[in-house]
């Protein structure tokens, strides 16, 4: 299947491709058990991956590859994350239906849609205006009414809607931005890749307990685009 043929692809064929993608994610999860300590991910997360139309989020000439378990370029030097990574990070957030989530790095909006399937409200910030506006339009067109997307530097979080039950950062920071720690609720979870641009990056799970203490767990070595901005 190549480019531009997507219009000929039936809904059931797309669903089948997603089901195969989910199987590949499950295999990756088993293969990375040594790092993550996870043999399987939350089935609600996997159901969201099986549902969200990833082909809508990739550029038209990439549609034929939309259900490969791989990152893809989305323009502006940015990428849509690998589905396995999207699944793992979402799992790390342990989302409940009542949760309010902050996402830093909307990109094409794919991860945003996955979050919107599982949480009450998603606030997402993107620094590249073009991407952010496109993503906002797309998630709206796909019928997600629980997403608010804005343009800005997500390093500073989104004070007006804080605190958040969960925070996900989809670009690598050199340190965990202090405003994000601040804006995490007691009992909240944060998934964030930390490290240098071309050096080692580690996907971290930060949790804030009821006393406001932060604990940190290294989950997986990763490769993300850098968190940019003026901070
Ligand atoms: N969440 C996306 C992945 C996007 S890649 C997905 O579903 O696949 C990371 C995104 O973070 C890029 O779009 C990049 O422009 C954005 N980004 C980088 N630095 C940022 C910052 N300081 N604030 C907000 N977004 C940022």
């Amino acid at each position: 299947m190549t480019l531009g043929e997507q219009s000929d692809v039936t809904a059931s064929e797309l669903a089948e491709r997603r089901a195969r993608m989910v199987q590949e994610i499950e295999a990756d999860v088993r293969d990375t058990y040594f790092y993550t300590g996870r043999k399987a991910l939350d089935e609600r997360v996997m159901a969201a991956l099986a549902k969200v139309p990833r082909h809508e989020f990739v550029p038209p000439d990439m549609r034929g590859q939309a259900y490969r378990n791989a990152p893809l370029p989305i323009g502006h030097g940015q990428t849509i994350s690998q589905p396995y990574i999207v699944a793992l990070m979402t799992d790390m957030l342990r989302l409940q239906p009542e949760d309010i989530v902050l996402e830093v790095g909307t990109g094409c909006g794919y991860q945003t849609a996955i979050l919107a399937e599982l949480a009450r409200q998603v606030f997402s910030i993107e620094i590249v205006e073009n991407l952010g506006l496109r993503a906002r339009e797309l998630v709206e067109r796909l019928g997600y009414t629980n997403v608010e997307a804005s343009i800005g530097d997500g390093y500073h979080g989104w004070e007006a809607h804080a605190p958040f039950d969960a925070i996900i950062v989809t670009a690598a920071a050199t340190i965990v931005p202090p405003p994000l720690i601040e804006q995490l609720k007691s009992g909240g979870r944060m998934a964030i890749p930390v490290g240098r641009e071309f050096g080692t990056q580690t996907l971290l799970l930060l949790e804030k307990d009821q006393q406001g203490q932060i604990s940190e767990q290294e989950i997986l070595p990763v490769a993300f685009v850098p968190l940019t901005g003026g901070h």
Side-chain angles (χ1 to χ4, degrees):
M1 185 64 47
T2 53
L3 326 177
E5 292 177 34
Q6 212 62 49
S7 51
D8 304 333
V9 179
T10 62
S12 74
E13 167 63 18
L14 289 169
E16 253 171 59
R17 288 187 196 180
R18 276 194 292 277
R20 281 197 296 272
M21 180 186 81
V22 164
Q23 286 173 357
E24 285 176 38
I25 295 170
E26 286 167 349
D28 270 3
V29 170
R30 289 191 294 271
D31 288 347
T32 50
Y33 170 70
F34 169 78
Y35 290 106
T36 68
R38 287 160 172 75
K39 283 188 173 138
L41 304 182
D42 186 334
E43 55 189 44
R44 288 172 303 169
V45 172
M46 299 312 267
L49 271 285
K51 180 177 171 194
V52 174
R54 191 171 189 254
H55 64 278
E56 298 275 6
F57 294 87
V58 305
D61 63 341
M62 290 275 156
R63 296 246 156 108
Q65 302 183 54
Y67 293 110
R68 284 177 51 209
N69 182 25
L72 295 170
I74 56 170
H76 302 275
Q78 303 302 332
T79 55
I80 176 171
S81 299
Q82 182 191 15
Y84 158 70
I85 290 289
V86 171
L88 175 63
M89 290 179 82
T90 309
D91 184 85
M92 286 162 63
L93 299 179
R94 301 198 303 272
L95 293 176
Q96 295 300 316
E98 283 311 302
D99 282 355
I100 297 177
V101 188
L102 174 69
E103 177 186 38
V104 175
T106 318
C108 61
Y110 177 67
Q111 171 82 70
T112 319
I114 298 286
L115 298 170
E117 289 282 345
L118 300 166
R120 174 152 62 101
Q121 181 74 41
V122 182
F123 295 98
S124 187
I125 310 174
E126 169 58 50
I127 203 164
V128 177
E129 183 171 18
N130 233 310
L131 288 174
L133 295 181
R134 244 193 306 165
R136 179 196 290 168
E137 217 177 271
L138 179 54
V139 293
E140 220 176 273
R141 174 162 71 74
L142 293 175
Y144 294 101
T145 53
N146 58 341
V147 173
E148 203 175 311
S150 85
I151 309 300
D153 186 347
Y155 179 94
H156 306 287
W158 196 332
E159 185 77 60
H161 299 294
F164 302 99
D165 299 287
I167 298 180
I168 179 170
V169 182
T170 66
T174 48
I175 57 158
V176 181
L180 298 186
I181 295 178
E182 192 80 13
Q183 291 174 27
L184 192 63
K185 213 178 258 183
S186 284
R189 293 81 56 199
M190 186 190 321
I192 179 170
V194 172
R196 276 162 294 137
E197 183 173 353
F198 298 111
T200 324
Q201 295 174 5
T202 306
L203 180 56
L204 298 181
L205 172 62
L206 263 73
E207 300 192 54
K208 192 184 265 190
D209 70 15
Q210 296 304 333
Q211 284 70 46
Q213 295 281 24
I214 299 292
S215 66
E216 190 182 298
Q217 204 186 329
E218 296 187 359
I219 302 294
L220 188 75
V222 286
F224 275 82
V225 296
L227 191 74
T228 59
H231 45 268

